[in-house]
Amino acid sequence: MPEKLVKRMGMANRQVERDLQIWQNQIYLDPPALASMESKGYRQLRSWSKALLPARPPERGPEGH
């Protein structure tokens, strides 16, 4: 593989590892802690998604399924 491609793949893999740390530790905040310039779009997204999702998540079995 070209060295440039190997370097970019390594960068992408490191970024995924960093993102996983964020995703594994995120919590739901209502209202979310956002900068004022971000809040309008996120409020619209949350309003839209609440119409699609059940009010409570389904109960999970002992294995998390």
Side-chain angles (χ1 to χ4, degrees), residues 15-27:
Q15 187 60 48
V16 167
E17 291 171 5
R18 292 179 190 131
D19 290 345
L20 285 173
Q21 290 176 357
I22 293 170
W23 298 332
Q24 290 170 340
N25 294 293
Q26 68 183 352
I27 59 173

Side-chain angles (χ1 to χ4, degrees), residues 4-63:
K4 192 172 185 178
L5 178 59
V6 172
K7 183 177 177 181
R8 288 190 56 107
M9 288 172 53
M11 290 170 50
N13 287 336
R14 285 188 297 279
Q15 187 60 48
V16 167
E17 291 171 5
R18 292 179 190 131
D19 290 345
L20 285 173
Q21 290 176 357
I22 293 170
W23 298 332
Q24 290 170 340
N25 294 293
Q26 68 183 352
I27 59 173
Y28 181 86
L29 296 174
D30 195 16
L34 300 170
S36 58
M37 61 188 249
E38 298 175 310
S39 63
K40 181 180 179 184
Y42 278 99
R43 279 195 313 267
Q44 290 173 334
L45 179 62
R46 281 190 172 201
S47 176
W48 173 79
S49 66
K50 282 181 182 180
L52 302 174
L53 300 173
R56 287 185 48 181
E59 295 293 324
R60 292 182 167 216
E63 289 132 17

